[in-house]
Amino acid sequence: GAGVSQSPSNKVTEKGKDVELRCDPISGHTALYWYRQRLGQGLEFLIYFQGNSAPDKSGLPSDRFSAERTGESVSTLTIQRTQQEDSAVYLCASSPDRGANIQYFGAGTRLSVL
Amino acid sequence: SQQGEEDPQALSIQEGENATMNCSYKTSINNLQWYRQNSGRGLVHLILIRSNEREKHSGRLRVTLDTSKKSSSLLITASRAADTASYFCATVIGNQFYFGTGTSLTVIP
């Protein structure tokens, strides 16, 4: 089937605006992860969803960041009152089973805050 | 931080040569994985090695794991221009993945 899909692929916004990023995981994958990747750097964990369990939000950098996921479907990452330092690629990954497993990544959303 | 660190940060080789990159980490892990990222794309899983394994092969890839030294290496043999990409190691503890900072590999045709 289709891979992980993220939208939009690119987003340019003005400082102070809110943005919403979307991730469609692979059907049947119970785990979903959001990461932030600044230019030329590694992946920074943001949040992890596993089925209907409470999400692991330990990586969210501030209360301006939030994410939702309903069941094992689409997830949205919302950044409120965007700042220039929020500019990065936001990557979503899904994984089929509970516990350690490989991750399937989307192509990411490139966010530019002017 | 558990985040792994790859070494070297950047590597440039001629096509046909072998490329070796290393990953070090800090705490005990369930498994270690290597991923590849082409410019502007998401990461693609390459290979997984469990904590009780010492070496694993997949095609032109060879991965080793030394849990006593908390380090892993990825060897790409007979490199091709298409291998040009960034390579990341990810240490897995429970459900958490800790990605390193990556090695940027350039294979010159």
Side-chain angles (χ1 to χ4, degrees):
Chain A
V4 177
S5 177
Q6 291 187 245
S7 61
S9 55
N10 284 282
K11 176 71 177 178
V12 180
T13 190
E14 293 180 350
K15 178 180 173 181
K17 301 284 189 182
D18 297 352
V19 295
E20 191 172 278
L21 312 180
R22 176 186 170 107
C23 173
D24 285 88
I26 294 173
S27 178
H29 280 195
T30 58
L32 187 147
Y33 299 76
W34 282 99
Y35 297 91
R36 178 169 68 181
Q37 185 178 30
R38 292 198 164 104
L39 186 64
Q41 298 190 20
L43 276 66
E44 177 186 359
F45 166 75
L46 296 177
I47 189 168
Y48 159 64
F49 295 91
Q50 174 63 56
N52 293 316
S53 302
D56 178 353
K57 304 180 181 180
S58 61
L60 295 178
S62 77
D63 59 8
R64 295 188 297 105
F65 288 71
S66 63
E68 293 183 348
R69 186 186 188 198
T70 304
E72 297 178 2
S73 62
V74 170
S75 175
T76 55
L77 175 68
T78 301
I79 308 173
Q80 296 178 309
R81 305 181 302 281
T82 53
Q83 304 294 315
Q84 288 185 330
E85 64 262 26
D86 298 334
S87 296
V89 175
Y90 289 82
L91 291 165
C92 173
S94 70
S95 184
D97 291 314
R98 177 180 293 276
N101 210 319
I102 68 174
Q103 296 192 348
Y104 297 81
F105 281 81
T109 294
R110 181 174 299 279
L111 175 65
S112 299
V113 182
L114 304 179
Chain B
S1 167
Q2 168 62 12
Q3 186 176 36
E5 292 188 7
E6 283 92 344
D7 170 58
Q9 289 187 339
L11 180 61
S12 183
I13 59 173
Q14 295 289 331
E15 197 166 33
E17 293 180 338
N18 296 341
T20 299
M21 51 204 88
N22 305 294
C23 170
S24 60
Y25 58 93
K26 295 182 179 177
T27 64
S28 297
I29 59 174
N30 296 117
N31 66 69
L32 185 145
Q33 304 180 21
W34 285 90
Y35 288 77
R36 164 196 169 126
Q37 184 180 36
N38 286 77
S39 181
R41 307 294 295 272
L43 279 69
V44 175
H45 174 83
L46 295 176
I47 195 166
L48 179 155
I49 186 165
R50 300 188 190 282
S51 59
N52 61 353
E53 297 176 313
R54 292 296 168 258
E55 187 171 314
K56 206 159 183 184
H57 296 82
S58 177
R60 294 184 295 112
L61 305 181
R62 172 177 168 253
V63 169
T64 62
L65 179 65
D66 187 334
T67 52
S68 66
K69 295 182 179 178
K70 293 186 172 58
S71 67
S72 173
S73 67
L74 171 66
L75 168 68
I76 304 174
T77 60
S79 63
R80 304 167 181 169
D83 294 330
T84 294
S86 291
Y87 293 81
F88 294 87
C89 69
T91 52
V92 183
I93 304 172
N95 299 328
Q96 274 287 16
F97 286 66
Y98 298 90
F99 285 86
T101 51
T103 292
S104 176
L105 173 66
T106 301
V107 181
I108 303 166

